[in-house]
Amino acid sequence: DSVILRDRGSSDRVDVLFHLTEGPRARVEAVRFEGTGPIPEAELREALVLREGNPFDVPREDLSRAAVGNRYLEKGYVAARIRDSLEIEESRVRIVYRVDAGPRAVLRGVRVDGTSATKPGFVTREVTLKQGDVLARSKLLRSQQRIYDSGFYSDVQLDRGPIDSVTFETDLIVGVRERKMGWIDAGIGYGTVDQVRLTGQVGQR
């Protein structure tokens, strides 16, 4: 409501006082889903972070929307769109999720971008999905981690191509940034026993 500055006399410091009026706490009165399609509403409600009866909180609402989206991604609906809207009446909030699931995508093939010192096969061998598999989120994340763990790449990005409107097939596009394959390190130090010490290291991935 107001801010007051209180001088401390001869000091170059002041006290700042904020006078607040909290007002009523807004709570989630209801959560509604529209167009859930292939996933039962009960399963989506289990994923919610912000539920009916909870105090309304914007960051938790963002997490809830992302959690609903992840349920569709896990089942291969990689083009799913989740939109949320709020209906606010005094201190009561109603949340509506509108879902457009889209097609369930399956893998046609893997395309690798960004390799020069390494072969594309170094990447594709770490992909846990096979041709015809549903593009499940957990398998995509596992594949990405396996590619990182190979030690050859400093960055791994996953994308997909267009989804065929008849077969629902799509390509997985893996973009990588290679690490330096060889390196040389040198150092110099001093110790009370060894006096001057020189160190060197040569490595090749």
Side-chain angles (χ1 to χ4, degrees):
D1 292 332
S2 61
V3 180
I4 298 175
L5 299 181
R6 181 177 295 165
D7 195 352
R8 285 191 172 185
S10 59
S11 171
D12 60 353
R13 299 175 178 271
V14 295
D15 292 330
V16 183
L17 296 101
F18 296 90
H19 293 269
L20 310 175
T21 301
E22 289 184 339
R25 170 178 284 183
R27 289 188 177 274
V28 178
E29 182 181 63
V31 178
R32 191 169 76 249
F33 290 88
E34 295 180 358
T36 56
I39 299 182
E41 183 175 320
E43 182 177 339
L44 298 178
R45 288 186 178 275
E46 288 179 0
L48 294 177
V49 179
L50 186 63
R51 304 187 178 190
E52 294 176 356
N54 292 159
F56 179 70
D57 182 87
V58 173
R60 294 183 70 196
E61 163 59 11
D62 293 339
L63 291 174
S64 285
R65 183 179 62 252
V68 170
N70 287 340
R71 290 296 175 106
Y72 284 90
L73 293 176
E74 181 58 30
K75 295 182 182 295
Y77 296 94
V78 294
R81 292 185 297 173
I82 315 297
R83 294 175 297 165
D84 57 344
S85 60
L86 304 177
E87 300 172 356
I88 302 174
E89 184 178 347
E90 296 179 348
S91 60
R92 300 187 299 275
V93 179
R94 292 180 288 274
I95 305 173
V96 182
Y97 294 99
R98 294 177 174 85
V99 180
D100 179 8
R104 192 182 196 191
V106 296
L107 181 66
R108 176 170 51 208
V110 180
R111 192 181 85 198
V112 180
D113 294 333
T115 56
S116 58
T118 59
K119 297 179 180 180
F122 288 17
V123 175
T124 56
R125 71 185 182 188
E126 305 298 343
V127 175
T128 59
L129 291 158
K130 305 301 181 185
Q131 186 176 9
D133 286 353
V134 172
L135 262 67
R137 177 176 181 269
S138 59
K139 290 186 176 182
L140 292 172
L141 292 176
R142 175 61 178 156
S143 298
Q144 185 182 42
Q145 187 60 54
R146 283 169 58 99
I147 297 170
Y148 272 120
D149 291 345
S150 71
F152 296 130
Y153 309 102
S154 62
D155 188 39
V156 181
Q157 298 294 327
L158 303 184
D159 201 357
R160 63 169 176 84
I163 300 175
D164 189 284
S165 59
V166 177
T167 63
F168 302 140
E169 293 179 329
T170 185
D171 291 326
L172 176 63
I173 304 169
V174 185
V176 296
R177 180 182 297 118
E178 294 175 330
R179 302 174 68 181
K180 292 182 179 180
M181 293 298 111
W183 71 92
I184 298 176
D185 285 335
I188 185 171
Y190 180 82
T192 56
V193 177
D194 300 328
Q195 303 299 314
V196 177
R197 293 177 295 180
L198 301 175
T199 61
Q201 184 183 68
V202 177
Q204 176 67 33
R205 300 190 189 283

